[in-house]
């Protein structure tokens, strides 16, 4: 019986990982103290790599399995907003990007050292944060929370208020993830 291509791929990757782990363990053992330690570490590293690959086998094969009941739909591809509603990870990535952009803008407005950020860099970070926060594929709760955080940061007077808005944005981004 010939295994499926996904199973073959996983088997080849497992072989490479076990081989590399064994060789790395042997080299480390030789460097540390000698042949007996090299044999011991080679065996432990090989067994560890093999056990890790086998324990992840079902998960990897599930990810690599084609969906036979789903053929590509004819016609134009769905928009990014439709993909975000469908929950394919695009909106989650955008939400994480908004969190990072707003956090870097906050760091530019409230630097740890005086004169730590130039005005040009602050404006560039602000523009990027606003552009990413206004993206149409972003979930609405994340857009609202990002707008509140950007407003608190733009005022630039109260670092505690900006920190609270950032915390709220982080919780909103975490809550918008699929499976939460």
């Amino acid at each position: 019986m010939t295994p499926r291509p996904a199973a073959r791929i996983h088997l080849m990757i497992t072989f490479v990982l076990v081989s590399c782990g064994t060789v790395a363990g042997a080299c480390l053992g030789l460097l540390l103290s000698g042949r007996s330690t090299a044999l011991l570490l080679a065996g432990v590293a090989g067994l560890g790599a093999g056990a890790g690959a086998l324990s992840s086998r079902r998960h990897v094969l599930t990810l690599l399995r084609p969906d036979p009941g789903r053929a590509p739909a004819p016609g134009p591809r769905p928009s990014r907003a439709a993909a975000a509603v469908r929950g394919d990870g695009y909106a989650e990535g955008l939400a994480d990007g908004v969190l990072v952009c707003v956090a870097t803008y906050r760091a530019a407005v409230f630097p740890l050292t005086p004169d730590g950020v130039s005005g040009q860099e602050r404006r560039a970070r602000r523009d990027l944060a606003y552009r990413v926060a206004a993206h149409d594929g972003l979930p609405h709760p994340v857009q609202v929370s990002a707008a509140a955080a950007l407003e608190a940061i733009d005022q630039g007077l109260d670092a505690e208020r900006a920190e609270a808005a950032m915390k709220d944005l982080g919780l909103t981004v975490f809550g918008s993830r699929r499976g939460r």
Side-chain angles (χ1 to χ4, degrees):
M1 179 174 140
T2 305
R4 299 182 323 217
R8 276 196 219 150
I9 291 170
H10 186 263
L11 184 63
M12 287 187 277
I13 290 172
T14 301
F15 177 74
V16 169
L17 287 175
V18 170
S19 299
C20 289
T22 304
V23 169
C27 290
L28 183 65
L30 281 174
L31 287 173
L32 289 177
S33 69
R35 290 183 186 169
S36 60
T37 306
L39 286 174
L40 178 69
L41 287 180
V44 169
L47 284 173
L54 288 177
S55 68
S56 68
R57 180 178 174 82
R58 187 178 65 181
H59 182 68
V60 169
L61 292 180
T62 302
L63 290 174
L64 295 176
R65 181 179 348 149
D67 190 2
R70 183 173 176 214
R77 297 181 66 192
S79 68
R80 295 285 192 193
V85 170
R86 192 174 63 242
D88 64 351
Y90 181 75
E92 292 176 11
L94 275 177
D96 289 339
V98 165
L99 183 61
V100 169
C101 288
V102 174
T104 57
Y105 174 49
R106 182 187 154 279
V109 172
F110 300 105
L112 295 176
T113 60
D115 299 327
V117 179
S118 68
Q120 182 180 6
E121 183 180 355
R122 184 177 295 129
R123 284 188 298 279
R125 288 183 183 189
R126 181 182 187 276
D127 291 344
L128 182 62
Y130 270 93
R131 267 190 265 133
V132 174
H135 197 280
D136 64 342
L138 201 60
H140 185 68
V142 175
Q143 281 182 335
V144 170
S145 185
L150 288 169
E151 179 185 4
I153 295 168
D154 276 343
Q155 292 176 356
L157 301 174
D158 189 9
E160 287 84 22
R161 181 173 175 242
E163 182 65 31
M166 282 300 302
K167 183 177 179 182
D168 182 50
L169 175 61
L171 291 173
T172 304
V173 167
F174 183 72
S176 72
R177 290 190 177 133
R178 207 171 27 159
R180 297 275 179 238

